[in-house]
Structure formats: C-alpha cells, structure tokens
Amino acid sequence: MIYILKYIYSFFIPPGLFITVLIAFNLWLRKRDRHASALLWAVILFIWTFATPLAGNTLAGYLEHRYAPPAAVQGDVIVMLTGGSVNGTPDIGGKGNLNGYTMNRVVAAYKLHKSTNLPILISGGQVFADSGNEGQMAKRNLLAMGVNEASIILDDKSRTTKENAANTTQLLEQRKLHRPVLLTSAFHMARSVENFKRLGIETTPYPTDFLVPQPYSVSVSSLIPASDGLQKSALAAKEYLALLELMVTN
C-alpha cells in the first residue's frame, strides 16, 4: 500500500504533475481535434519516458561506465574539477556552500590525497553572479578537513570544462607536473578527459560521485516519472551535447 501511494503522489508533484495536466488537457482536446490530440499524446509519451528513472539511469549510466577508478593511482597531482555552488549561504568558516556534486568530489579528493600524499589542484571559479567562487569554497573545505595549504594549488578563474583544462594545463607546466590524476563526477568524466586530451594532456581518470546504482535493475518505480529521473536525463543530455560540440569543432 505504501508503494501504491508513492506512485499516486508522483503524479501530483513535478514532473509527474506536468504529465497529469497534459493528459487532462488532452482528454478535453480529443473531442475537438483528434490530430492535435494524437500529436500531444506523442509529446506526453516523450516527456514521460525521459522523466523516468529508467531513462535517466540508462543515459547517465552509459557515461559513468566509460571509466572506472584505477586499482592503483600513479600520478604526481590530483586535479579536481568543481561543479557548482551556492553563494552567500551560511557555512562554518565562511559563506557559500558547494553543491552535492562538488562536495562529493572534494571528499574523494581528500581521501585520495590522504592515501597518496599527492597535492590537489582545484579548478573552478565563479560561473554566475549568485553561484559563488567554487574553487575558493572547495579550498576552504579541504583546509577544514586538515589538508595542508602547501598541498593545494588553486585555479579559481575557470568557468567551463574547457577553461578548466586550459588553466590547469598552465599550472601544471609552471610546476613541472606531468601525470595528473583527473577527478570529477563520473557523468562528467568523458567530456573532461577529452578537453584535456585536446591540449595534449594525458590524464589518469578517477571518476567519483556515481549516480547510477551498480548493478541497476528495472522495477515498477523505474517507469514512474520522478524528479530524480528527469535530473539524470538532463545531466546526461548536457554531457552528450557537449561531447557532440567537441566532435563538431574538432
């Protein structure tokens, strides 16, 4: 009974609510314009499909499975890319908070630093006026965790993955570092590796912040529209479009 109620609730909160409204409108439209109604059914099916956890996990999972963390890390620096923050919000030791993607990367970078003693190069700046400086926030969190400031290299100017790669390359050359271990969210890794590769930098991918369960099984709930499914579909679509852009501009 609990699960049945959850499925019903799903159609009264976004994105399920949007589908409910469209279906109600289409039932009214069907009596007036059958051709327009048929087209709208196709639109509803499209939205329903990409809002399901099944679609989100499938699209994101393909990106995440392209790379796996190496069994043994060999490199001379950990390059951690940031991925979003919120500006001006209260935090211990300062203002502004990293979003979940970036904080997961920070924690992984900390663990990797503790196990390898490699320095951490943080790459990420302020993308929007209300997003705050991600690199500075990430550094503040690493210092709070106990990482020595001498072990942190900061690029707090980059706003895109392309700028991450370009600015990081300059810092690596300045410090004569040649074997970067690239750390970012698993869904973001393929695009990140490609941007570095185009600048002649071969990286050791170290994906983290996995979103898709392994192994992933299909269930009734995976076919019901949910915000989680839509979010993963949107994240994956952004990455696929960015990879396509790289291919076109090659």
Side-chain angles (χ1 to χ4, degrees):
M1 185 64 182
I2 294 176
Y3 293 106
I4 294 176
L5 287 175
K6 285 182 178 292
Y7 298 153
I8 294 173
Y9 291 157
S10 296
F11 289 95
F12 290 91
I13 57 176
L17 176 62
F18 305 142
I19 293 172
T20 300
V21 172
L22 286 174
I23 290 176
F25 174 72
N26 205 16
L27 292 174
W28 173 85
L29 180 65
R30 184 170 175 271
K31 300 176 182 179
R32 291 157 178 79
D33 191 331
R34 289 186 174 273
H35 294 293
S37 176
L39 180 60
L40 186 54
W41 279 123
V43 172
I44 292 170
L45 179 61
F46 178 83
I47 296 173
W48 185 311
T49 299
F50 283 93
T52 62
L54 176 60
N57 285 326
T58 300
L59 293 170
Y62 179 75
L63 291 168
E64 292 191 339
H65 295 158
R66 294 183 65 173
Y67 296 98
V73 174
Q74 307 225 335
D76 52 14
V77 62
I78 301 164
V79 174
M80 190 208 82
L81 309 185
T82 63
S85 65
V86 180
N87 195 29
T89 52
D91 188 28
I92 297 173
K95 282 193 175 291
N97 287 266
L98 299 171
N99 67 11
Y101 306 127
T102 306
M103 198 62 209
N104 283 340
R105 301 175 197 182
V106 168
V107 172
Y110 168 76
K111 291 179 179 179
L112 198 55
H113 166 75
K114 295 298 286 185
S115 64
T116 62
N117 205 34
L118 294 178
I120 303 172
L121 192 161
I122 305 168
S123 180
Q126 181 164 354
V127 182
F128 304 107
D130 62 347
S131 64
N133 193 292
E134 300 167 14
Q136 293 174 11
M137 290 183 197
K139 179 179 179 179
R140 186 179 76 223
N141 278 276
L142 286 171
L143 291 173
M145 292 175 181
V147 177
N148 192 300
E149 188 165 8
S151 297
I152 300 175
I153 305 167
L154 181 61
D155 155 35
D156 60 357
K157 305 297 182 186
S158 298
R159 298 162 298 175
T160 65
T161 305
K162 184 177 181 179
E163 290 183 1
N164 286 142
N167 293 337
T168 295
T169 298
Q170 292 180 3
L171 290 172
L172 294 176
E173 291 174 350
Q174 291 171 9
R175 288 163 173 76
K176 302 189 185 311
L177 298 168
H178 307 290
R179 295 180 297 151
V181 178
L182 183 58
L183 190 152
T184 188
S185 296
F187 67 83
H188 182 236
M189 184 58 76
R191 175 158 61 111
S192 302
V193 168
E194 188 60 30
N195 272 281
F196 276 87
K197 188 180 294 183
R198 286 172 183 248
L199 295 176
I201 305 295
E202 290 296 327
T203 60
T204 298
Y206 197 98
T208 188
D209 184 38
F210 286 83
L211 301 178
V212 181
Q214 298 182 21
Y216 177 65
S217 58
V218 179
S219 63
V220 174
S221 61
S222 69
L223 303 175
I224 304 297
S227 57
D228 178 67
L230 185 60
Q231 182 183 28
K232 289 177 183 175
S233 292
L235 279 174
K238 177 184 176 182
E239 295 302 316
Y240 288 124
L241 287 172
L243 286 168
L244 178 62
E245 181 186 358
L246 284 171
M247 292 173 57
V248 172
T249 57
N250 186 10

